[in-house]
Amino acid sequence: MAAPAPPPTSTSTPTPARIPWAGLLVLAAIGFTAVTTELLPSGLLPQISHDLGVEESAVGSLTAAYAAVIVVTALPLSRFLSSRVPRKGLLIATVLAFALSNVLLALAPNLGLAVGARLLGGVAHGLLWSTMAPYVARIVPARSVGKGMAIVFSGNSIAMAIGAPIGTMMGTALSWRTSFLVLAGVAGLLALLAAYLLPAVPHSAGKAAPSLRGALAQPGVIAVATAWPLLLLAHFTLFTYIAPFIAASGLPGSTTGISLSVVGAFGLVGIWIAGITADSWPRRSLLAAVAVLVAAFVLLPVLGGTLVGNLALMAVWGAAFGAMGIYNQAAILRAGGEHRDAANGLTVVTIQLGIAVGAVYGAVALTTAGALLVPLAAAIPAAAALAVAIASRRNGYPAGPREKR
């Protein structure tokens, strides 16, 4: 079921009659650039470490600082700017901030300035994802919100499957600085395309800022803002430590890169499935996707020791994870109602916390239970998310129009 349009008021956004395909594709490309920017330092860690003359563990601060600043700034900046700056202009500004961040990172002579550049990128990242989904919900017909989200968020999976690996290969063959300069150029081009192709939405300068308190008071918001981060926690518990798991399974090291590409590529399959089902069968589809994810994690220690079993379960994992993002994005916009901007901003923060906690939780599982059992550790928060979704039948994850028949 699509997220409903805001209640009709004098300042509400008219329901669009058509899907703005060109604009959605530009947004997907922007998402691709943002996620590639987020992930790329991990792939280029040895090169950055050598060039800046610091330990590899210190280079990890480029990722940690990026995530930390999102948690701190996403909600207040979104709340402050969304009522003062037109949404189209705000999106364009975030893309330009990505370009500037990557240029500064590519030119950084030391780790301190590199971290500063990443802080700017993190601010842009949090603001982008706080703004993106509510903007999409305003530029597509209400009946097609799920399809619109599927198109836009396909950029995320493409970045995981293609963007980060290509950027890593480019950085290895040329230099890590070249990779970030190329990303900066792509971001600059996308800012120009966004200015030309993205539709504007009505803006009222005096409109009240999004209310987090109002969002939390909406039935279902807390459920979605809890279940979704739990799924990210589960995902990154294994994703962060997939290399040790594959080594413990007895598979060659080259399987790690292949597995990550399979997860990303099949994420696109999951997004395609979600685009078909999110507007009509949101509840059953979400429950099925999460149940399949839990099953894949449970089976990985048993069947992941063979290449066929490993890649098959990686494909299931990727497809389920890709679909869940669309279902949850539609769910939070629907649950947030007139406060959906604040509700979406809340999930941006809780998701980043889920990612951070997932990496720590995975490390604990790795050291206490061993690499082979990390997937079982990941299954626990995924199962908890499934329980929350099952319990939230009326508000957080209600039945869609075809499920009510």
Side-chain angles (χ1 to χ4, degrees):
M1 181 170 63
T9 67
S10 58
T11 59
S12 55
T13 305
T15 302
R18 300 179 180 178
I19 295 177
W21 293 101
L24 294 181
L25 291 175
V26 170
L27 291 174
I30 290 172
F32 169 89
T33 304
V35 173
T36 301
T37 296
E38 181 180 24
L39 298 177
L40 193 54
S42 297
L44 296 174
L45 189 145
Q47 293 92 327
I48 298 173
S49 169
H50 180 267
D51 191 25
L52 297 182
V54 296
E55 297 292 331
E56 290 188 358
S57 58
V59 178
S61 61
L62 296 181
T63 299
Y66 194 95
V69 77
I70 293 172
V71 172
V72 174
T73 63
L75 274 175
L77 274 181
S78 174
R79 187 174 187 276
F80 179 78
L81 294 174
S82 62
S83 60
R84 293 168 172 82
V85 181
R87 294 177 185 278
K88 176 178 176 178
L90 190 56
L91 280 168
I92 294 171
T94 63
V95 181
L96 291 174
F98 273 117
L100 178 59
S101 169
N102 284 328
V103 168
L104 292 176
L105 179 58
L107 299 178
N110 56 57
L111 182 62
L113 291 178
V115 169
R118 289 289 286 179
L119 289 175
L120 174 60
V123 171
H125 191 103
L127 196 53
L128 174 69
W129 295 115
S130 297
T131 307
M132 181 91 84
Y135 175 77
V136 173
R138 285 170 169 81
I139 65 172
V140 300
R143 66 183 183 278
S144 302
V145 169
K147 182 181 292 184
M149 295 296 175
I151 294 168
V152 170
F153 285 87
S154 65
N156 297 26
S157 288
I158 296 174
M160 291 179 61
I162 300 174
I166 289 179
T168 300
M169 287 188 291
M170 183 187 302
T172 302
L174 301 174
S175 75
W176 68 270
R177 298 179 188 273
T178 300
S179 291
F180 284 102
L181 285 175
V182 170
L183 270 179
V186 171
L189 175 61
L190 288 173
L192 292 176
L193 291 174
Y196 180 70
L197 294 174
L198 290 185
V201 296
H203 173 69
S204 298
K207 189 176 179 180
S211 170
L212 180 59
R213 181 178 298 178
L216 289 171
Q218 297 295 307
V221 166
I222 292 178
V224 181
T226 301
W228 196 359
L230 281 171
L231 292 169
L232 268 295
L233 193 160
H235 174 78
F236 278 91
T237 295
L238 180 56
F239 190 85
T240 307
Y241 301 101
I242 189 171
F245 165 73
I246 287 176
S249 298
L251 296 173
S254 59
T255 308
T256 300
I258 298 172
S259 297
L260 291 175
S261 294
V262 168
V263 171
F266 275 84
L268 294 174
V269 176
I271 288 174
W272 175 74
I273 293 171
I276 297 172
T277 58
D279 296 316
S280 301
W281 299 280
R283 178 173 173 79
R284 293 177 187 172
S285 301
L286 181 278
L287 294 179
V290 180
V292 165
L293 182 71
V294 173
F297 285 159
V298 169
L299 290 173
L300 267 170
V302 180
L303 304 178
T306 66
L307 183 60
V308 172
N310 177 279
L311 295 183
L313 291 172
M314 293 291 166
V316 171
W317 170 18
F321 184 73
M324 289 183 307
I326 306 304
Y327 298 136
N328 278 294
Q329 186 66 76
I332 196 64
L333 294 176
R334 178 178 56 242
E338 62 179 320
H339 300 288
R340 58 185 175 179
D341 287 17
N344 185 71
L346 174 65
T347 60
V348 171
V349 173
T350 57
I351 282 171
Q352 289 298 321
L353 288 173
I355 292 171
V357 173
V360 175
Y361 173 60
V364 172
L366 182 67
T367 55
T368 57
L372 196 60
L373 296 182
V374 169
L376 290 182
I380 296 173
L386 180 60
V388 171
I390 291 172
S392 305
R393 181 179 183 85
R394 298 187 62 181
N395 297 307
Y397 297 97
R402 294 197 181 184
E403 294 171 319
K404 294 177 180 178
R405 296 177 182 175

